[in-house]
Amino acid sequence: MASNLVHSALATHTQVFRGLTAAQINRIRPFASLRHAALCEVLFEADASDVSSFILLSRAMQVAASA
């Protein structure tokens, strides 16, 4: 029987690092671009297959089920 589960990019088992140190973030900065997300902005959909890596530097992120 095939599974209909969608693997989430936020699922614990798919995360390489659960938290980065300031030194690790500083090593990544030259290869990254900083951008600000608007309140309630959707960063990616649960079924998206082309999700870029990102690091949340401040505030919080809410994971919400789509309607």
Side-chain angles (χ1 to χ4, degrees), residues 1 4 38 43 50 62 64:
M1 178 193 311
N4 292 331
L43 299 177
D50 61 342
Q62 180 180 7

Side-chain angles (χ1 to χ4, degrees), residues 2-48:
S3 173
N4 292 331
L5 295 176
V6 175
H7 296 287
S8 169
L10 296 177
T12 305
H13 68 278
T14 63
Q15 296 177 15
V16 177
F17 301 104
R18 296 190 188 184
L20 299 175
T21 65
Q24 290 170 320
I25 292 170
N26 287 334
R27 286 175 52 192
I28 294 167
R29 283 185 193 274
F31 309 101
S33 52
L34 183 63
R35 84 172 193 69
H36 298 271
L39 184 63
C40 297
E41 178 180 349
V42 175
L43 299 177
F44 62 90
E45 299 289 339
D47 61 350

Side-chain angles (χ1 to χ4, degrees), residues 44-63:
F44 62 90
E45 299 289 339
D47 61 350
S49 61
D50 61 342
V51 178
S52 299
S53 296
F54 59 90
I55 298 170
L56 187 64
L57 295 176
S58 62
R59 305 276 177 166
M61 181 182 350
Q62 180 180 7
V63 178

